[in-house]
Structures are given as C-alpha cells and as structure tokens.
Amino acid sequence: MIIQKFGGTSVGSAERIKAVANLIADDTRKIVVLSAVSGTTNQLVQINKALYKQDKVAVEGLLTSFESAYNQLIQDLFISEESRLKAKSHLSGHINHIRSFTLDMFTPFEERTVLAQGELLSSSLLQLHLSEKGVKSVLIPALDFMRIDQNNEPDEWYVKSNLNRLLDAQQETKLFVTQGYICRNHFGEVDNLKRGGSDYTASIIGAAIGASEVQIWTDIDGMHNNDPRIVEKTRPIDRLTFDEAAELAYFGAKILHPSSILPARKSNIPVILKNTMHPEKPGTVISNVSSGNFIKAVAAKDGITAIKIKSDRMFLAYGFFAKSV
Ligand code: ADP
Ligand code: ASP
Ligand code: MG
C-alpha cells in the first residue's frame, strides 16, 4: 500500500483537484492525504483572530468572501447540479459551524476546531468529485484515528490500531481518502500537527500501516539545492538520505514539515517528493541510500535566537547548563 499526500496548491483550484483525481485513480491500493485548499488555513487564522475579538462584522465579511470563493470552486469542479447542491450543503455546514462560535466565548478549543474546517472541506470536495467521476473511494476521517499524546507526539499505538481496524473493515477498497494536519489530542479534542502538518500525517500513516512508499506531491519537482523563494536557478536533488532530508526540513526547507521524515525513517519507508504539475519529473527520493558524501543543499530559517553563554569558570566543569537554567 502507498500513501500519496497532496499539498494546498495541488488542490488549489478546480483544475488542480481534477488533476489530482486523475493521478490517484489507478489500481494501486493507497491512502490519499489531503491538505486544505491553498490559502484556506491562512483565512481560517484570520477568522479566528476576528472571533477572539468577538468582531462579528469582521467575521461575517471574512466568511462571505470565504463562501463565495468556494462557491466558484464548486461551480467549476462539478458537472451535475445534484453534485453542486451536495457540495454546497457541505460548505454551508462548515460555514455555519464557524459562525456558531460568534455567539459563545471563544477559546483555543474552538480555534482549533475552526482550523480543522479546511482539510474537512477539501477532502469532502475531492470525494464528491471522485464519486461524480464514478471512481470508488472511502473517506477515513483523520479524527477517528490520528491522535497526539500529552507531549504532542504522535500516539503510535493508537494510530496504528485504529487505522488498521478501519482499513481491515474495507478489504475490497483500493482508494482511501483522509485529511492531513488534523488530529485529536490526548483529551480527545480536535487538534492539529502544526502548520504544514499534512506531510507529517502522511509519514505517520505510512509508518502505522507499513506502507511501501510515502509520496509527497507538491508544487515543485522535489527538494532543491537551495530555497527557490530566495535563490535563483536552484535545481532538484535526485536522492537524499533520511538524515539529510530531516535536517534540511528542520532547518527551513519548507517543502517538508520539520518532523515529517522521522516516522518514515524509523520504519525505513522511502519518501518521494513529486510535482503535481509535472508528474513525469523524477522528483527526490529520500531513503537510507546515500548518493555520496558531499553537500547536497543549503537551507535557511528566520527568527532564530542564539544564546551565547560564557563563563570563566567553565573549564572542565560539568552540569553547567543544568545549573544555569
Ligand atoms: P504544499 O502546499 O504542497 O505543502 P509547501 O508550500 O509547503 O507546499 O512546500 C513547497 C514549497 O517549499 C515550494 O513551493 C518552495 O517555494 C518551498 N521550498 C523552500 N525550500 C525549498 C527547497 N529546498 N526545495 C524545494 N522547495 C522549497
Ligand atoms: N493546511 C495546513 C496549513 O496550511 C496544513 C498543510 O497544508 O500541510 O498549514
Ligand atoms: Mg507544506
């Protein structure tokens, strides 16, 4: 079984969602992990800010533009009026859910529930589109199996047992769809794996089911040797080891969530970075095979605080840090 994760830009328009549907509709048994439509999570963050201020006018304004953008997407994505009506009713369900929070006190619990609406929406739209195309798929809700523990680490045992139970109940099914990013915490509340967390979801799922491969489909042809947002003429890297990729991700290569390589590395599952716009390009293969001992890429990160500690009496001293914090 393989995992295919599609990021925000890969589902960023009706055309992109149609392309994803074509890419996933083959005979390989797989779990498709979806991000929210690009821009959606940022809009939800803005809505949350307005909700915290109890600024109902701002919330209404943001929800109106959110709804009209999705109505356009629905118009372009579906062929039949019946499918459009179904999609619109999903959309209003999500929007009314968010709207209902304007009446109550707004807390981090509601905030996380609002943030979850993006992935819930994109996955239901893809699934409706697949069913309109006559492609059979089963939605396995991430909130039914993805959980983090009290240290905010994936609850491996919980994820493994619940996910395998859901899959075992659908032996005949080839195509499963689920949401990236969202999960439950150890209180059972809706939570998330932090921004960009859908990559992490894909890797956690891959490890939980012993997948043969985790594919991360995005808007660029693999990990480049430098950050293409800053440096010109960067080029993709064919191969990276888990350690190299994890280090680049941790130190700012936005293409991967900082923790996303760890579960795959632990289970030795190759991670392939692919471009949704150019599926024919080889992308980057991340595995335990090294292509040699040379510098592969450079990454950069803003907002780092460096603390320099100097002490005259540190020579041969141990336990220094423990004493100073
Ligand atoms: P997705 O929405 O598919 O998760 P992201 O925006 O999170 O996509 O990640 C892809 C982006 O990461 C690329 O468009 C690129 O601008 C940025 N990026 C930063 N560093 C790198 C790098 N070293 N190689 C490739 N992409 C990088
Ligand atoms: N939608 C979430 C975000 O924008 C998660 C993801 O895209 O991976 O951060
Ligand atoms: Mg991302």
Side-chain angles (χ1 to χ4, degrees):
M1 198 158 185
I2 64 165
I3 316 299
Q4 292 186 317
K5 175 258 167 175
F6 293 89
T9 33
S10 302
V11 290
S13 66
E15 281 322 300
R16 300 300 341 141
I17 297 176
K18 288 179 193 169
V20 166
N22 289 334
L23 270 169
I24 61 181
D26 60 17
D27 236 17
T28 319
R29 195 159 190 250
K30 67 181 66 153
I31 302 178
V32 170
V33 176
L34 280 196
S35 290
V37 168
S38 60
T40 294
T41 310
N42 287 346
Q43 285 163 3
L44 294 172
V45 169
Q46 293 310 316
I47 292 171
N48 275 338
K49 283 186 183 153
L51 281 165
Y52 267 118
K53 288 188 203 150
Q54 295 285 307
D55 185 343
K56 291 184 188 175
V57 177
V59 173
E60 250 341 287
L62 288 162
L63 283 177
T64 307
S65 57
F66 187 88
E67 186 165 25
S68 69
Y70 270 96
N71 274 329
Q72 187 59 53
L73 179 77
I74 290 169
Q75 185 62 33
D76 299 342
L77 181 60
F78 296 101
I79 304 161
S80 75
E81 229 18 72
E82 194 195 339
S83 303
R84 285 193 185 117
L85 282 175
K86 271 192 203 159
K88 281 185 181 168
S89 114
H90 280 290
L91 176 63
S92 341
H94 291 285
I95 289 186
N96 289 334
H97 192 42
I98 299 174
R99 192 172 275 133
S100 71
F101 295 134
T102 47
L103 304 173
D104 302 316
M105 204 176 70
F106 199 65
T107 68
F109 170 75
E110 280 86 22
E111 179 184 1
R112 294 190 300 258
T113 308
V114 170
L115 291 176
Q117 303 310 309
E119 272 70 12
L120 292 170
L121 199 47
S122 62
S123 53
S124 71
L125 290 178
L126 175 74
Q127 232 226 334
L128 267 174
H129 173 61
L130 287 168
S131 89
E132 188 174 62
K133 266 168 81 80
V135 177
K136 189 178 174 301
S137 69
V138 168
L139 187 78
I140 40 170
L143 298 180
D144 289 355
F145 67 86
M146 187 56 71
R147 194 161 85 156
I148 46 175
D149 62 20
Q150 60 271 42
N151 301 316
N152 289 334
E153 293 294 333
D155 186 337
E156 287 174 30
W157 178 84
Y158 183 96
V159 175
K160 193 172 181 166
S161 45
N162 284 289
L163 182 54
N164 282 303
R165 180 179 47 76
L166 291 168
L167 298 180
D168 288 349
Q170 298 281 346
Q171 299 277 358
E172 303 303 310
T173 303
K174 287 257 162 88
L175 176 56
F176 296 92
V177 177
T178 193
Q179 302 89 9
Y181 177 60
I182 63 172
C183 64
R184 289 194 184 273
N185 58 28
H186 70 293
F187 297 116
E189 299 165 346
V190 175
D191 211 318
N192 60 65
L193 301 173
K194 308 284 178 287
R195 296 303 305 270
S198 303
D199 304 327
Y200 200 19
T201 303
S203 182
I204 296 169
I205 291 180
I209 63 159
S212 55
E213 194 170 291
V214 173
Q215 299 176 358
I216 307 283
W217 289 80
T218 183
D219 58 356
I220 188 163
D221 49 350
M223 178 75 80
H224 278 218
N225 62 336
N226 216 321
D227 191 328
R229 292 167 302 173
I230 301 166
V231 178
E232 278 175 26
K233 296 191 186 140
T234 59
R235 52 172 177 74
I237 307 161
D238 301 341
R239 228 169 221 296
L240 286 171
T241 61
F242 290 120
D243 287 351
E244 289 165 342
E247 198 154 331
L248 286 165
Y250 189 77
F251 286 104
K254 188 192 173 232
I255 186 169
L256 284 172
H257 176 282
S259 307
S260 59
I261 289 299
L262 308 180
R265 176 175 67 181
K266 205 166 156 193
S267 304
N268 195 16
I269 300 168
V271 177
I272 327 287
L273 308 181
K274 295 279 289 178
N275 188 341
T276 328
M277 272 60 121
H278 293 283
E280 73 291 350
K281 299 228 168 138
T284 302
V285 180
I286 301 164
S287 70
N288 59 8
V289 179
S290 170
S291 59
N293 231 349
F294 55 95
I295 294 170
K296 316 277 166 47
V298 175
K301 205 174 184 175
D302 288 327
I304 291 183
T305 308
I307 305 174
K308 215 171 170 182
I309 301 175
K310 225 175 176 180
S311 165
D312 296 342
R313 301 168 68 187
M314 232 175 96
F315 184 62
L316 291 182
Y318 60 90
F320 175 77
F321 262 118
K323 277 187 207 147
S324 42
V325 284

